[in-house]
Amino acid sequence: MEDKLTNAQIAWRAAQDLADGSYVNLGIGFPEMIAKFQPEGREVTYHTENGVLGFGKAPAEGEEDWDLINAGKRAITLNAGASFFHHADSFSMVRGGHLDLAVLGAYQVGQNGDLANWSVGAKGVPAVGGAMDLVHGAKNVAVVTDHVTKKGAPKLLEACTLPLTGIACVTRVYTSLAVIDIRDGQFVLCEKLPQISMDQLQSVTGARLHVDGVVDDLIVPETL
């Protein structure tokens, strides 16, 4: 589908829902972009599994300090009051339910909230890693993803067919076409691009989209 959001636009939209005062883990890769679009005036404390709490935006190119990296081995900056701790303590924070939100990418999302976002192969992270802890330790789990695969197949399905990262864990999905909540084992449409119809959106979604009240237009800045 030609009319769709870029990754930056998806990340911007997800960033608008970051709650003031929240503790948030951003998954490796695409989800890390969300920190760039944190709304002014909101205090969000970012956590990374390798043991940093309170890191900031990525440094400018050429200004990296490679002693300061996140779990994806990307350079980070530190906000005032940032702290460092052992890897085991980091996962105690995750497993202890101290994170308000984890945002991850996805290969597939099931309508019951199941998440598949890892694979064994030559590309990407070759194991499930800390994601399996994050999806069941964080109070809420959101996904940012294209609505379909590169081959045009739906990523939002009645049931995942790939190895699962977590079961019934996802609460909200931000895609290139829509914002969708998962409630009572169903995809509930909250927002969609105004230029696509409900029928068009349903045709690229692998499970029924339910509507509960008004569906808002998904509006984002044209350039980011």
Side-chain angles (χ1 to χ4, degrees), residues 151-224:
K151 295 182 178 180
K155 283 191 171 188
L156 278 60
L157 305 169
E158 291 183 355
C160 296
T161 59
L162 296 173
L164 294 182
T165 306
I167 297 172
C169 54
V170 179
T171 50
R172 173 165 273 209
V173 184
Y174 301 89
T175 83
S176 50
L177 302 177
V179 177
I180 297 166
D181 280 345
I182 296 177
R183 302 182 213 151
D184 301 321
Q186 299 176 333
F187 289 130
V188 180
L189 182 61
C190 301
E191 302 175 17
K192 70 172 183 66
L193 292 180
Q195 61 267 40
I196 64 172
S197 68
M198 278 293 301
D199 288 342
Q200 287 175 311
L201 183 61
Q202 184 63 74
S203 71
V204 291
T205 307
R208 182 184 171 193
L209 290 169
H210 296 262
V211 175
D212 181 13
V214 177
V215 176
D216 293 325
D217 288 339
L218 175 51
I219 304 296
V220 302
E222 289 188 12
T223 58
L224 289 166

Side-chain angles (χ1 to χ4, degrees), residues 29-52:
F30 174 19
E32 293 172 333
M33 295 177 67
I34 292 171
K36 180 180 178 182
F37 301 115
Q38 178 180 321
E40 293 292 331
R42 291 189 206 172
E43 182 178 339
V44 178
T45 303
Y46 295 108
H47 166 276
T48 179
E49 301 101 289
N50 59 319
V52 186

